[in-house]
Each structure stands twice: as C-alpha cells, then as structure tokens.
C-alpha cells in the first residue's frame, strides 16, 4: 500500500525536494520534544496488527503552506474556543467539524486521560482523509450532505476487502469502500474493534453510530488512536497511531505536517466555507459518488479552493525565474523545485466547478407494493429517483431507507436502516430485503439525508408460507412389525416417506393414532402406545395413543418415536394422516408372552 502513495506523491526529484523543504520547515517549528523525537527516529515503527482504518485507501491533499500569519483571536493550546475571524485560509476549520474534533478529544480525555489526544491531531487526519468533510459540507447534526465514499477496495492498487456490510454504508455489494469524513472501512467500523464489536461510536448522542457523521467518526477515530494504552505525547506512539490509519510513510509525514500546522493556531469558518483539497497543478478533481477520482485521488469539492502551490506562500515575480531549488511563485512562474532553473509556463486557470444540484424531490420508482413469503427475500427492492427543482436527476445524494422496528424484515447485516447514494441517473436502490418469519404488512420509508424533500413510502406485505403438501405416505420397509406383550417394538421400527406428485414432501405435518378400525377409525384404549416426550414425573409413563406435530425431514422421511405395548396381545392398527388427506395404515402384531 505504501508503494501506492509513493507512486502518486513522488512526482520526480522536484516534488521530493519540495516535500523535504516543507517537512523540514514544519518540524522545525514544532515543540522541542516532538522535533527531537522525530530526529532521533531511526526506522519506521512497527505498524499495528489490525487492518488500517481506511483499508489502505488513497488520500490526496496539499501540504500546509510554509508561511502563515496568525488570524485574530487565534486559539493555541490554551483550550479556548477558536473565534470566528479571518486569517490564513488553510487555518480555517468549518464550525461543526471543529466542534466535532474538540468534543471527541474532550470525551476521550475523560475516559482515557493518559492518551493525551490533541484535537489538532484529529483535524490533521480529517484534513488528509476528506478535506475536513469537504470543507464542512455537513448538516446541523454533523452528517455529510453527500456521502464521502472512497474507491473500491478490490486489490487493484488498494487493499482487497470484499463486501462486509451488504452496501449499508458504502452502497457497494461486492467490495468495501472507505466512507465518511474520517474514511472508515465498513468492516472496521462495524466489527473491527478489539472486542469484535467495531470502532463505531455515537459522538453526538443521537443513539446511532454513523460513519457519515463527523461527531461519530471523530470520536471513533479518537478511540482508535488511543488504543493499546498509547500516549500520543510520545513520538513513537503518535507515529504508530497514525500508521494504523494508513501504513505509509508519506501519509505519516503529511498528517504530522498538518498536525503541526494546526497546533500553531486555527480559526472558525462557517460550514461549507472550508478550504478543499486541490490537485497540485491547481485543478480541482471530481469522481464517483463525489468522493474520489478514477485514479484513486481525493476529489476536491466546491468552488472556494484557492490556487495554491507546493509550499511557499511568497509569489515569484512574473517573468523572472526564482532561484533553482526553491519553490516557484503562487502565480505558477518560477522553476520546478530542484530543477534546472527554466521557468515553468503558467497553467491555465481552472474553471470553478458548478454548484452541485440541490435535491428537492424523491420520486418512487415502480407502482406495485412489495411482497414476499415469510422467511424469503423480496423479489424487488425499494427504489427512488432524486430530482432537483428543474426535474433533473441528482447524483451522489444520500437516501436512507428505514424499516419499522417491530417488523421482522431486515436489510443485510440485520439492519433496519441503510443509506445509499444515488447513481449518475439519480437512482437509489435499497439492498436486498429479507422478510421475517411472521406474516403481516408494514411500510418502508425513503428519506433524503440532510434535505427537506418529502419522504416516499412503500407498502410491503409478508405472506405466510403455504403448508407443504403430501398426497402419499408409504413405509420405507416391508418388514413385519412384531413385539411381545409388555415389551416395546424395536427402536425406530416405523419409518415412512411422504411425497407430493411423486416428489419428496419435506416439512409435512403428520398425525399418528392407534385406532380400533381402519374404516371407522376410533382411538384405541388398549394395545400399543406412545409416551409423551414432554411429560415428567409419574405422567411420563402414561400411555399416549395419538401424537401430533410430527414433521417429515428435508428428505420427506419420518421415524416414529418408540412404540410400547401393554398386556394385550393381538393385531393392532396404527393410522398416519396428513392435512391433505393422505393416509397410511400400519399393522402392529403383539404376541402373548411365552408360557402364558
């Protein structure tokens, strides 16, 4: 996986030299203990044994600017809330996202004070993983307005992780994808924790653990970073925690650089106004589900991302090359760092992306209500189309399908709700839905996450399975059935097979009765009998001459319980019947004891 990042981030000797310049400048500005520990580190610490949180998925972000000015009322390490103000654009954190980081760090400190988790570390990871939830594109509860979904983890340049959540979080039924502002893979969120229950957390107290919610994701990330008794004020523990997110030295250096940058101060900006990741040539990128590009790099969302270069905030003079080996100007002039000194042509200014379509309507697809037999899968799944005010399809919009808690129907993973992003045609289809064991009707609701569009209701009916039928019952052996009075018949003496139209009839209910006559069957009060397997005490030996609730197995076979005899000798009749009228009469011969 580390090779994946090296191929992407190493853009020749120029980019390598620049990365070294930026990292050196940033680490030089950190606290002495951090700088000394980093300098003393001789080798990469051992990565954690468990799967990295993001599954080795790709990331893409610029490193922080090399030079900065503190914004007004800037917060350092005093713990005071950052004031809304101006300052370096990259130091601005969206209000809800910033609140989520601070709330998570406070909660972790209360439960694990020895970890010493700084909220700026969560901010550094959040920046690298999702550009602070796409610049703060979240609703009031902290849930992303559109899902942030990574590339398919199909082993092609990434980890190979087949689907573990039935598409519940990532909408992919074949492979997992990293999801949410902190880019958890579904298996890590749901069951990858130390106790097998997963790292998922409820950070905003709404009773749900949603990786698409920044409060939940930040708290889960905090618990993960502190796992194993780590002390994040120690450099080795800090490095191991970050590498547990993504086992790459490039990733480690990038997160540490943002961590150091945010420790120098931040300020709050309105949600949706945060700086978004931009490709190093200044052009924004787009990709599937609004998450990443086809080559795995992070998508840059929105239109407020500045035209940044690879380090220095000082522009070069137009038409004049800078010194070789130094970053070029922010206007695109100047040589490539470490290059020959030849000026690089100014790239064309990127066109700002258009404002994403706003979902206003959910439209049901399909007129018929859904139905299934108890215990089976519905043939079709609920499906809706998302549209904007002009009636155009809206892609990448999260749609939540919810089942009533009381119904036995469930989505994959025993879930009662799933969130699915709309595809390029605006369609969102719920994953396979399985009916419960009980018959009845219920309603499935589809709602647009973070939008006020009216919900769509689907009627669903679960029908009871028809009872299996049998039109013939026959013994599997023609051996005569005999016993001596006062002694039982042989164990499993009577075995029968039920069929329907010549095929085995599994699950057929039969009744066995000791009768006096085959033409006018009446329960006999003497001769062979059964015992009640549920009886206890003195009742357990009481004769039972009618047994109900007998059922054929998967092969249509039934072995009757042991048959006992009393003191009466003679030929007796055992009659087997089904609800469909199939009948079999078996003769039971009881001989008198010898010498009687």
């Amino acid at each position: 996986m580390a090779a994946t990042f090296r191929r992407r981030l190493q853009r020749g000797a120029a980019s390598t030299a620049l990365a070294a310049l930026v990292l050196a400048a940033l680490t030089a500005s950190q606290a002495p203990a951090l700088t000394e520990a980093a300098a003393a580190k001789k080798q990469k610490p051992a990565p954690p044994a468990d799967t990295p949180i993001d599954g080795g998925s790709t990331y893409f972000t610029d490193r922080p600017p090399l030079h900065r000015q503190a914004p007004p009322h800037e917060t350092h390490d005093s713990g005071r809330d950052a004031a809304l103000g101006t300052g370096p654009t990259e130091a601005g954190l969206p209000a809800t996202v910033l609140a989520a980081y601070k709330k998570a760090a406070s909660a972790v400190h209360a439960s694990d004070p020895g970890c010493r988790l700084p909220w700026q570390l969560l901010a550094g990871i959040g920046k690298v993983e999702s550009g602070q939830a796409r610049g703060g594109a979240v609703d009031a509860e902290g849930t992303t307005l559109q899902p942030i979904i990574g590339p398919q983890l199909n082993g092609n340049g990434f980890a190979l992780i087949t689907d573990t959540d039935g598409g519940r979080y990532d909408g992919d039924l074949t492979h997992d994808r990293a999801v949410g502002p902190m880019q958890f893979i579904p298996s890590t969120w749901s069951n990858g924790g130390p106790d097998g229950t997963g790292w998922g957390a409820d950070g905003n107290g709404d009773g749900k653990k949603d990786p698409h919610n920044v409060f939940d994701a930040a708290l889960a990330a905090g618990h993960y970073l502190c796992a194993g008794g780590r002390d994040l004020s120690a450099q080795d523990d800090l490095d191991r925690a970050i590498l547990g997110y993504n086992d790459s030295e490039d990733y480690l250096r990038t997160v540490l650089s943002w961590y150091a940058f945010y420790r120098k101060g931040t300020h709050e900006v309105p949600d949706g106004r945060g700086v978004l990741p931009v490709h190093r040539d200044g052009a924004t990128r787009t990709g599937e589900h609004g998450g990443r590009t086809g080559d795995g790099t992070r998508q840059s969302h929105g239109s407020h991302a500045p035209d940044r270069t690879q380090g220095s905030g000082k522009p070069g003079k137009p038409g004049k090359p800078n010194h070789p080996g130094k970053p070029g100007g922010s206007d695109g002039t100047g040589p490539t760092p470490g290059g020959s000194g030849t000026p690089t042509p100014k790239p064309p200014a990127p066109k700002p992306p258009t404002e994403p379509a706003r979902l206003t309507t959910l439209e049901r697809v399909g007129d018929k209500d859904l139905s299934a037999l108890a215990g089976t899968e519905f043939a079709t799944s609920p499906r809706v189309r998302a549209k904007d005010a002009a009636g155009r399809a809206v892609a990448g919009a999260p749609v939540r399908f919810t089942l009533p808690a009381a119904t036995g129907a469930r989505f994959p993973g025993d879930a009662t709700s799933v969130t699915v992003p709309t595809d390029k045609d605006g369609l969102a289809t719920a994953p396979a839905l399985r009916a419960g064991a009980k018959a009845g009707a219920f309603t499935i609701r589809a709602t647009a996450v973070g939008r006020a569009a009216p919900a769509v209701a689907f009627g669903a009916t679960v029908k009871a399975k028809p009872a299996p039928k049998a039109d013939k019952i026959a013994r599997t052996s023609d051996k005569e059935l005999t016993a001596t009075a006062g002694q039982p018949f042989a164990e499993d003496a009577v075995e029968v097979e039920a069929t329907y139209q010549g095929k085995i009839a599994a699950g057929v209910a039969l009744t066995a009765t000791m009768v006096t006559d085959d033409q006018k069957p009446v329960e006999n009060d003497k001769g062979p009998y059964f015992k009640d397997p549920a009886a206890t005490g003195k009742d357990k030996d009481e004769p039972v001459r009618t047994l109900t609730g007998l059922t054929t197995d998967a092969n249509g076979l039934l072995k009757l319980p042991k048959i006992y005899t009393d003191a009466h000798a003679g030929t007796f009749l055992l009659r087997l019947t089904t609800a469909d009228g199939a009948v079999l009469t078996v003769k039971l011969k009881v001989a008198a004891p010898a010498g009687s």
Side-chain angles (χ1 to χ4, degrees):
M1 287 181 285
T4 304
F5 298 101
R6 285 194 290 272
R7 286 195 298 270
R8 178 157 40 76
L9 291 178
Q10 291 175 345
R11 300 176 184 270
S15 295
T16 305
L18 172 61
L21 285 172
V22 175
L23 181 61
L26 286 167
T27 54
S29 65
Q30 296 179 31
L34 185 62
T35 305
E36 291 170 9
K41 187 162 69 81
K42 300 293 184 182
Q43 60 185 7
K44 173 182 172 182
D50 51 335
T51 302
I53 276 186
D54 65 6
S57 188
T58 54
Y59 65 93
F60 191 92
T61 186
D62 291 328
R63 293 182 185 273
L66 190 58
H67 302 285
R68 56 170 289 154
Q69 295 178 350
H73 309 294
E74 183 175 347
T75 297
H76 293 271
D77 291 334
S78 62
R80 293 181 291 109
D81 289 339
L84 185 66
T86 60
T89 13
E90 286 290 359
L93 293 174
T96 300
V97 177
L98 177 60
Y101 295 150
K102 291 187 174 182
K103 182 178 176 67
S106 176
V108 171
H109 177 74
S111 62
D112 187 5
C115 175
R116 297 177 174 84
L117 170 69
W119 66 261
Q120 292 93 338
L121 177 59
L122 295 174
I125 291 174
K127 174 67 174 179
V128 175
E129 291 290 341
S130 69
Q132 310 300 13
R134 294 180 183 150
V138 297
D139 61 20
E141 287 73 38
T143 302
T144 57
L145 299 181
Q146 292 186 357
I148 302 174
I149 299 178
Q152 192 178 68
L153 298 176
N154 55 14
N156 185 18
F158 313 111
L160 174 59
I161 306 176
T162 54
D163 178 56
T164 62
D165 67 334
R168 176 182 183 183
Y169 297 120
D170 57 13
D172 193 323
L173 298 177
T174 60
H175 292 82
D176 274 353
R177 298 169 181 253
V179 297
M182 302 301 276
Q183 288 290 276
F184 278 83
I185 53 175
S187 55
T188 304
W189 184 266
S190 298
N191 53 33
D195 57 358
T197 59
W199 291 101
D202 178 13
N204 60 355
D206 63 355
K208 296 181 291 185
K209 298 177 181 179
D210 184 2
H212 297 284
N213 182 281
V214 70
F215 287 95
D216 295 358
L219 181 58
H223 287 317
Y224 177 84
L225 294 168
C226 290
R230 292 186 182 118
D231 177 359
L232 298 182
S233 65
Q235 187 68 39
D236 281 351
D237 277 2
L238 177 65
D239 289 354
R240 287 189 181 93
I242 297 171
L243 287 169
Y245 232 104
N246 194 308
D247 186 18
S248 159
E249 285 287 352
D250 289 324
Y251 180 87
L252 173 64
R253 286 192 293 268
T254 305
V255 169
L256 285 175
S257 68
W258 280 107
Y259 170 47
F261 180 78
Y262 289 137
R263 280 170 59 89
K264 291 182 179 182
T266 62
H267 62 282
E268 181 182 303
V269 298
D271 289 344
R273 297 293 183 88
V275 176
L276 301 170
V278 174
H279 189 270
R280 292 178 189 272
D281 61 8
T284 58
R285 293 190 171 206
T286 57
E288 184 180 357
H289 298 314
R292 306 175 192 229
T293 65
D295 63 1
T297 55
R298 295 243 185 233
Q299 177 181 351
S300 177
H301 296 266
S303 58
H304 303 289
D307 183 9
R308 297 190 303 278
T309 57
Q310 306 166 21
S312 175
K314 295 181 180 181
K317 294 181 180 180
K320 294 183 180 182
N322 290 338
H323 296 290
K326 293 185 178 181
S330 61
D331 61 353
T333 62
T336 302
S340 62
T342 304
T344 303
K346 180 178 178 180
K351 295 181 179 179
T354 57
E355 180 71 18
R358 294 184 63 85
L359 187 158
T360 60
T361 305
L362 284 182
E363 181 182 86
R364 174 173 173 163
V365 177
D367 297 329
K368 294 183 179 179
D369 284 345
L370 311 176
S371 65
L373 295 176
T376 67
E377 212 170 78
F378 283 82
T380 58
S381 293
R383 173 182 272 194
V384 295
R385 177 177 279 107
K387 293 184 176 182
D388 62 13
R392 296 169 299 200
V394 177
V399 176
R400 181 172 293 130
F401 295 91
T402 306
L403 305 171
T407 183
R410 291 292 185 270
F411 292 115
D414 202 33
T416 56
S417 69
V418 292
T419 300
V420 179
T422 56
D423 62 16
K424 61 183 179 63
D425 298 317
L427 293 173
T429 305
L433 175 62
R434 189 169 188 83
K438 294 182 179 179
F442 60 93
T443 300
I444 306 168
R445 290 173 59 82
T447 55
V449 179
R451 291 289 183 268
V456 173
F458 296 83
T461 303
V462 177
K463 301 176 181 178
K465 275 188 175 181
K469 295 181 179 181
D471 55 16
K472 183 179 180 181
I473 310 171
R475 284 187 64 199
T476 58
S477 170
D478 57 2
K479 184 178 179 181
E480 189 177 60
L481 299 171
T482 62
T484 301
Q487 299 296 321
F489 283 82
E491 198 79 41
D492 300 330
V494 181
E495 182 184 61
V496 297
E497 179 185 49
T499 57
Y500 182 71
Q501 295 181 353
K503 298 180 180 179
I504 61 172
V508 174
L510 290 92
T511 299
T513 306
M514 301 295 179
V515 297
T516 57
D517 184 88
D518 193 33
Q519 299 301 316
K520 296 181 179 180
V522 176
E523 184 180 275
N524 207 337
D525 61 354
K526 59 180 178 291
Y529 63 91
F530 302 103
K531 289 183 180 180
D532 184 356
T536 58
K538 64 179 182 179
D539 295 332
K540 67 180 181 179
D541 291 325
E542 286 295 313
V544 175
R545 290 189 167 87
T546 299
L547 279 184
T548 59
L550 302 172
T551 307
T552 59
D553 62 16
N555 296 313
L557 299 176
L558 170 66
K559 290 182 179 181
L560 267 65
K562 183 184 286 189
I563 300 174
Y564 300 86
T565 65
D566 57 15
H568 297 85
T571 300
F572 300 89
L573 301 178
L574 167 64
R575 194 169 191 261
L576 294 147
T577 60
T578 71
D580 302 305
V583 177
L584 171 66
T585 301
V586 179
K587 290 183 179 181
L588 303 174
K589 293 184 178 182
V590 180
S596 62

